[in-house]
Amino acid sequence: MSLQETVDGLGQLINGELVTSGETIAVVNPATGEVAAQCPAATTAMVDDAMAAAASAFPAWSTTPEAQRRAVIRQLADAIEAVYPELETLAAVEKGNAGGAAEGFAAIWFGRHIAEQHLAVDVIEDTPDRQVTVVRAPVGVVTAIAPWNAPMLIIVEKILTALLVGNTVVAKTSPFTPLATLRIAKAWKDIAPPGVVNILAGGDEVGKAMVAHPTARMISFTGSAAAGRSIAAPAAATLKNVLLELGGNDAAIVLGDVDVTKVAEGIFASAFLMSGQACALVKRVYAHESIYDALVAELAEIAQKKAAELPPLTTKPQFERVKMLVDDAIAHGGKAVTGGSPTGTGYFYPPTIMTGVGPGVRVVDEEQFGPVLPIVPFSDVDWAIEQANGTEYGLCGSIWTADVALGEQLATRLVCGTVWLNQHTEIDPKIPFGGVKSSGIGRNNGQVGTDAYAELQTRIFYKKSDRV
């Protein structure tokens, strides 16, 4: 079966059926820059259909016993594993590399973890006269929107967490990477009850219709800070709950007492994971002047060795943005120690280690979301912390030092949602994740992440009938 024939078998999952509109999205293979397939696309009319289906399914699903909901979630996670070879093929096309489906393993891991979670009940008081508890009640219909960089993992985590609490979902994947997600939708068609899970692939007009739709009671979105602001405004008009996991410009502060070789390996592994196309990666490094030259040299050596292993940038707009940021840095006196210009076909960009840049240069001040890492020297750690915090973002940050006690003290001064000591970038379904400032509202994962999809309802039950 050809790729297009496989794609032709996909559709929008609405009310337990795969639906097509005749409209398509051109999916580009980033490795070549050429259109690889025409994927079925959703319409705004389908948004109405999906919302109606989710609203109709909500009463029964929200009152389904928790154990039964968790059993369905477990089946949904198993279904991803069952079709993983096909996901691998489709992800390789839309991401331009054979390892593009690796996030699918994380989606299975997250799904199975969610299936084993129990909704917390906080007991405030329990006496012979009355019981006071706080329970996690469902919000209603949840709109979930995933980005193009890790669409399978992110959309699966959103949907399954929402289902655990008793919500129904209308989800949308990015038009840049719709193929693998719609294959998951096909695998799920006959597992969850009709209307409980609805999955669409479409552009901005579909996303806007989902966000503004009066049926939705919550918006869960992962993407850029600018897009997050555009979602928060219409959501506020009807006081929808929002969970926004937005961009980051993570700083790593490296003190002078480290083993440079070890630190360079850890920082490179974070900064260039997925060619830098993830929010919680090292985006800028502040290195003490005593080890600055050695760290730059080590990072440059790793970059040269690993260059051929990096995948392409996923979208042409992001490819053009990375080129612009590097060109701008060089125009302002920066130096590309490695990389510095695209090579080959498609959207490949080599790992670029930059020096000679600092505050006021866009490659330092803005999130690159690509394989570019500026290294800035410092002599005063207080200045480095000020620089790390001096941005609209506040997703993650890290301190690297052999002095653990000092590192713990410095880490508490970083203004961000996650701080690491001698590490940067790791995901775990039991560890809450999210940002502050323009990096978002709320948290994903763990009990805190589950609570984001719930209304905390206080229940005060008097146990004796003598009051009536």
Side-chain angles (χ1 to χ4, degrees):
M1 183 180 295
S2 70
L3 172 65
Q4 189 59 58
E5 288 174 325
T6 299
V7 174
D8 288 342
L10 304 178
Q12 321 304 313
L13 177 58
I14 301 174
N15 204 25
E17 300 293 336
L18 294 182
V19 182
T20 57
S21 65
E23 297 187 15
T24 60
I25 302 167
V27 179
V28 173
N29 185 330
T32 64
E34 302 294 331
V35 174
Q38 294 288 338
C39 178
T43 63
T44 54
M46 286 179 170
V47 173
D48 291 331
D49 294 340
M51 289 290 177
S56 178
F58 175 72
W61 181 252
S62 63
T63 54
T64 297
E66 179 189 326
Q68 292 181 31
R69 295 202 300 264
R70 290 193 286 108
V72 171
I73 291 169
R74 192 175 300 110
Q75 292 176 51
L76 295 172
D78 291 344
I80 300 173
E81 185 174 46
V83 299
Y84 193 83
E86 293 176 65
L87 298 179
E88 194 169 35
T89 298
L90 295 171
V93 171
E94 61 191 4
K95 290 191 173 183
N97 72 100
E103 53 155 324
F105 287 120
I108 298 166
W109 172 34
F110 272 60
R112 288 175 174 161
H113 174 84
I114 293 166
E116 300 307 316
Q117 283 191 264
H118 293 263
L119 296 180
V121 176
D122 301 330
V123 179
I124 309 301
E125 180 183 319
D126 192 3
T127 68
D129 291 327
R130 71 174 184 173
Q131 182 185 66
V132 181
T133 58
V134 176
V135 302
R136 276 69 186 169
V139 173
V141 176
V142 172
T143 287
I145 302 177
W148 48 259
N149 63 323
M152 286 186 283
L153 169 59
I154 292 173
I155 209 164
V156 166
E157 186 274 329
K158 290 179 185 298
I159 292 172
L160 299 190
T161 304
L163 297 190
L164 174 66
V165 180
N167 303 296
T168 55
V169 183
V170 178
K172 187 184 86 70
T173 189
S174 166
F176 291 107
T177 52
L179 301 179
T181 301
L182 288 189
R183 183 61 187 91
I184 290 175
K186 183 177 180 179
W188 285 1
K189 182 175 77 72
D190 299 319
I191 299 175
V196 170
V197 178
N198 305 273
I199 300 177
L200 311 178
D204 289 346
E205 71 287 349
V206 174
K208 289 176 181 177
M210 290 171 62
V211 168
H213 205 283
T215 298
R217 291 309 312 147
M218 175 183 173
I219 312 296
S220 176
F221 172 79
T222 298
S224 71
R229 284 188 284 268
S230 71
I231 284 171
T238 51
L239 296 180
K240 301 182 194 299
N241 292 2
V242 293
L243 174 59
L244 304 176
E245 196 272 283
L246 308 178
N249 192 9
D250 293 11
I253 298 175
V254 184
L255 275 58
D257 60 354
V258 301
D259 182 324
V260 171
T261 301
K262 291 180 180 179
V263 170
E265 291 173 353
I267 287 178
F268 188 91
S270 168
F272 294 94
L273 178 68
M274 297 168 58
S275 282
Q277 298 173 103
C279 53
L281 307 182
V282 175
K283 304 290 174 61
R284 50 198 170 120
V285 176
Y286 296 93
H288 191 269
E289 59 187 9
S290 63
I291 51 94
Y292 175 79
D293 290 337
L295 182 61
V296 169
E298 286 287 342
L299 286 169
E301 183 176 349
I302 298 172
Q304 291 167 346
K305 291 179 180 177
K306 299 286 187 179
E309 300 176 14
L310 267 61
L313 293 164
T314 304
T315 76
K316 185 175 182 180
Q318 193 57 34
F319 176 72
E320 296 295 341
R321 174 171 168 76
V322 168
K323 286 199 301 180
M324 177 274 294
L325 288 172
V326 173
D327 291 347
D328 176 79
I330 292 172
H332 286 84
K335 176 184 177 183
V337 180
T338 62
S341 60
T343 56
T345 59
Y347 306 149
F348 287 97
Y349 200 95
T352 300
I353 306 297
M354 298 216 68
T355 60
V357 292
V361 179
R362 294 183 66 180
V363 78
V364 176
D365 294 349
E366 301 179 16
E367 180 182 29
Q368 314 96 9
F369 219 73
V372 180
L373 185 63
I375 318 294
V376 181
F378 72 87
S379 58
D380 181 355
V381 72
D382 291 334
W383 179 86
I385 290 175
E386 180 182 350
Q387 295 302 309
N389 293 337
T391 171
E392 68 169 310
Y393 297 105
L395 192 57
C396 308
S398 58
I399 302 291
W400 301 71
T401 176
D403 188 335
V404 172
L406 174 61
E408 291 176 349
Q409 177 188 5
L410 294 175
T412 63
R413 296 171 57 189
L414 293 177
V415 181
C416 50
T418 299
V419 294
W420 281 284
L421 177 60
N422 298 330
Q423 169 65 20
H424 202 116
T425 308
E426 56 186 325
I427 63 168
D428 191 310
K430 66 178 179 293
I431 299 177
F433 175 77
V436 302
K437 299 191 288 186
S438 290
S439 288
I441 298 172
R443 295 293 181 270
N444 300 281
N445 305 339
Q447 183 59 56
V448 174
T450 301
D451 286 355
Y453 289 84
E455 297 290 5
L456 301 183
Q457 183 185 66
T458 301
R459 295 178 177 175
I460 307 173
F461 294 165
Y462 284 86
K463 299 180 179 181
K464 298 179 180 180
S465 61
D466 59 359
R467 301 178 64 87
V468 294

